[in-house]
Structures are given as C-alpha cells and as structure tokens.
C-alpha cells in the first residue's frame, strides 16, 4: 500500500468517525417541536409552553397539541417520528407509565420507543366537587357515595390519565360506586363539573386550584403523600380517612428511541436551566407544580418504578380497558 493510499484511508476513517459528532454539534438547524398529548390549558401544556418561551437553542421551539386516547395519539406520533431531536413529547404519568397497563392494545411501547430526556415536574391531583354536592370532606364524600350508589359521576381528560386512575383508586379503597365519564380534554370536563353534569374530579392541581380559589368548585382533598405548599389548607386523601392513598401526576420530556445522545444531553441541560429560573420556579409554585428535574438515566429508572407501581394500582382497581 502506498503512503498516499494509507493517508487517504486514514483521513476517510477520521471523517467517518467525526461525522456523527459534527452532526450532533450542528443540531438544531431547524425548529424543534414539543408535542403535548392533551389540549391547551393543562399542566403538560403549561410546562411545554414555558420550555418554548425560555429555550435558548438557536432555533424556535413550537408547541403542538395532539390530544386524544388518554394521550396515546400524541405520544404515538413522537414514537414514530425521526430520531433526530426535532420532535419530542411532554410525556405524562399516563402516556409513559399508566396507559400500558390500562389499554389492552397500545400503539407504542412506553419504554422501547422512547429515549428519556428529563423529568420536569410533578403535582398532586385535587379532589374537587360541584358546589351543590353536599360534601366538604373525604369522609362526607364516602358517606354520600355509599348512600347514593352509582349516582355520582367523576370526569377525566381521558381513560388512563392520572385523573381517571385516581378516581378508580378512590372507588377501590373507599368501597364506593361512581361512574367514570371520560372527556377529550379537561377544558371540556370542567364546564360540566361547574354546571353539575358531573359531580367531581381528581384534576391536576394547576387547572383545578384556580377554579377552587375563585369559588367555582370546592376543593375537598389532594392526592399527594403530603400537602402541597400551593394549597396548605387542603388535607390529603390519606390523612382524611384513606391511609396509603397517593396518586401523583408527573411530566417529563421524551425523544424518539435512537435520538443521538449528544442531542438528548443538550435538551436535558436546557430543561435543567429553564425550570430552575427564578421566575419559572415562582410560577410553578403558585400552580402547585414541583420541579423534579433529572438526568436521562434518572428518568429511565424513575419510569421503570412508576410502570410497576401503576400496574399494581390498575390491577387492583379494575381500570383496564380491553
């Protein structure tokens, strides 16, 4: 082999090895899309729009709401998108830990079809009732439900959401019968709750708390293990007569499986920066959202634990959809 041919081969190998790195360094060269699996106004939409407004990646970040099927429609779009970092999803406890147990047929694999990026935030759900329902405590609600079996209905933004499963868990632990009414999004459920077409919800705190503060609905309890600083006067379900009750919603960024690690790391670092900003932290606190930022590896471990936890809850509550 001539010295010139050897040099050419060495140069080719060097370029081949450096190509993926150069490609990753060039990212992003076009707008990035964050898919939200629910309509506007809820916690995942709020968090995605904060990321969009605050991102400093050199390209616009666009929020794209793709609701339906308990979040499965939007998550599936991202699962089947190119693994290039230009399409990510604001995943939820439903889309990435509950739905695989609730739905007999899933359009995507919650683990294999995604690359974890970062946990973003968590929030308890808020048990809220229509103002005409004669209950002010969890014990009142249990007594009323037992005296009026199947006369109470609880709404949710879709089957498999934490809002839905919180209600199923409550039914199971309290030994009461209530009817689940799934909607296409919480903005459709809330007017019916205010109007009395449904009597209660276990809604995410960021959307339910302002309504309760305005007196449009009544807050009865929150579903976290401890009281949220955003609503310190509202007791937990566990301390109100159902010890061990806990149902917390969480939100996290996921990219399609196979997304380059350099891109994933940059997205994760940007999430860390954004949600630690003082004005963002203040806004999240008022909404009852707690930042729980993580590395990609930490998110992967957290997701695995959540899948196991919710599989047990779904089995015990009978919430599975065939």
């Amino acid at each position: 082999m001539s010295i010139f041919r050897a040099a050419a081969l060495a140069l080719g190998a060097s370029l081949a090895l450096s190509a993926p790195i150069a490609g990753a360094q060039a990212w992003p060269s076009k707008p990035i899309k964050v898919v939200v699996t629910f309509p506007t106004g809820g916690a995942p939409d709020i968090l995605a729009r904060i990321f969009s407004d605050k991102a400093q990646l050199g390209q616009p970040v666009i929020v794209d709401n793709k609701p339906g099927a308990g979040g499965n429609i939007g998550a599936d779009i991202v699962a089947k998108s190119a693994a290039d970092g230009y399409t990510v999803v604001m995943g939820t406890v439903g889309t990435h830990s509950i739905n695989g147990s609730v739905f007999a047929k899933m359009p995507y694999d919650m683990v294999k079809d995604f690359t974890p990026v970062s946990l973003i935030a968590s929030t308890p759900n808020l048990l809220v009732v229509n103002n005409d329902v004669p209950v002010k405590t969890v014990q009142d609600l249990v007594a009323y439900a037992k005296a009026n079996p199947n006369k109470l209905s609880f709404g949710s933004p879709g089957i498999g959401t934490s809002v839905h499963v919180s209600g199923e868990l409550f039914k199971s632990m309290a030994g009461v019968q209530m009817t689940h009414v799934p909607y296409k999004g919480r903005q459709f459920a809330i007017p019916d709750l205010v109007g009395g077409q449904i009597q209660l919800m276990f809604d995410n705190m960021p959307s339910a708390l302002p309504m309760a503060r305005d007196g449009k609905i009544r807050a009865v309890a929150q579903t976290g293990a401890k009281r949220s600083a955003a609503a310190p006067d509202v007791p937990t379900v566990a301390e109100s007569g159902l010890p061990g009750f806990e149902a917390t919603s969480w939100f996290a960024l996921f990219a399609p499986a196979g997304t380059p690690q350099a891109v994933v790391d940059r997205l994760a670092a940007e999430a860390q920066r954004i949600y630690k900003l003082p004005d963002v932290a203040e806004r999240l606190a008022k909404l009852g959202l707690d930042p729980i930022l993580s590395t990609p590896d930490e998110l992967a471990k957290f997701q695995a634990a959540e899948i196991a936890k919710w599989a047990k809850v779904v089995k015990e509550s009978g919430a599975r959809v065939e």
Side-chain angles (χ1 to χ4, degrees):
M1 181 184 297
S2 71
I3 188 173
F4 298 106
R5 178 170 173 75
L9 288 172
L11 177 60
S14 175
L15 289 173
L17 287 171
S18 65
I21 298 174
Q25 290 174 339
W27 182 92
S29 59
K30 61 181 182 180
I32 300 157
K33 181 167 64 178
V34 180
V35 172
V36 175
T37 61
F38 292 93
T40 59
D45 181 71
I46 291 169
L47 292 169
R49 293 184 187 279
I50 289 173
F51 189 86
S52 172
D53 292 342
K54 300 289 187 178
Q56 296 178 358
L57 293 168
Q59 290 288 338
V61 176
I62 302 165
V63 176
D64 189 12
N65 296 82
K66 296 291 185 182
N72 282 354
I73 290 176
D76 187 46
I77 289 172
V78 177
K80 293 177 172 57
S81 294
D84 54 13
Y86 291 103
T87 305
V88 297
V89 63
M90 183 61 72
T92 70
V93 62
T95 60
H96 284 79
S97 68
I98 297 176
N99 287 1
S101 294
V102 169
F103 292 94
K105 295 182 179 179
M106 284 283 288
Y108 61 89
D109 187 293
M110 297 187 299
V111 176
K112 294 179 181 178
D113 288 340
F114 295 92
T115 297
V117 176
S118 177
L119 277 163
I120 302 298
S122 68
T123 181
N125 291 331
L126 197 65
L127 168 54
V128 288
V129 300
N130 173 272
N131 285 330
D132 291 334
V133 177
V135 303
K136 292 185 178 180
T137 68
V138 167
Q139 291 180 340
D140 289 345
L141 178 58
V142 172
Y144 185 79
K146 287 184 176 179
N148 299 273
N150 289 314
K151 289 188 178 181
L152 291 177
S153 57
F154 68 99
S156 81
I159 294 171
T161 60
S162 69
V163 179
H164 167 215
V165 178
S166 293
E168 297 292 350
L169 181 61
F170 185 88
K171 285 170 55 180
S172 175
M173 292 185 67
V176 298
Q177 296 299 316
M178 301 187 299
T179 302
H180 173 229
V181 181
Y183 290 79
K184 291 183 179 179
R186 60 179 32 84
Q187 79 269 38
F188 302 106
I190 291 294
D192 278 4
L193 176 62
V194 175
Q197 285 78 22
I198 57 175
Q199 288 72 51
L200 64 147
M201 280 185 71
F202 291 79
D203 197 18
N204 288 170
M205 190 170 284
S207 51
L209 188 57
M211 301 283 291
R213 285 171 174 162
D214 290 343
K216 296 178 180 178
I217 51 180
R218 183 184 307 122
V220 174
Q222 48 187 300
T223 65
K226 60 181 181 179
R227 298 189 187 194
S228 168
D233 295 333
V234 180
T236 66
V237 175
E239 69 180 283
S240 302
L242 291 180
F245 187 101
E246 181 183 0
T248 302
S249 295
W250 53 263
F251 312 94
L253 283 173
F254 290 86
T259 300
Q261 191 61 47
V263 172
V264 171
D265 289 343
R266 189 169 178 194
L267 282 167
E270 189 65 0
Q272 292 271 350
R273 184 190 68 79
I274 290 171
Y275 296 104
K276 287 180 180 177
L277 292 171
D279 61 321
V280 172
E282 181 180 358
R283 183 181 178 190
L284 296 186
K286 288 180 179 178
L287 291 170
L289 284 161
D290 298 316
I292 49 169
L293 301 165
S294 73
T295 65
D297 286 343
E298 287 169 343
L299 173 53
K301 293 175 182 177
F302 176 84
Q303 183 190 14
E306 285 287 289
I307 289 172
K309 167 190 169 181
W310 286 106
K312 182 180 179 182
V313 170
V314 169
K315 183 178 180 180
E316 292 176 351
S317 68
R320 185 170 176 82
V321 178
E322 297 299 332

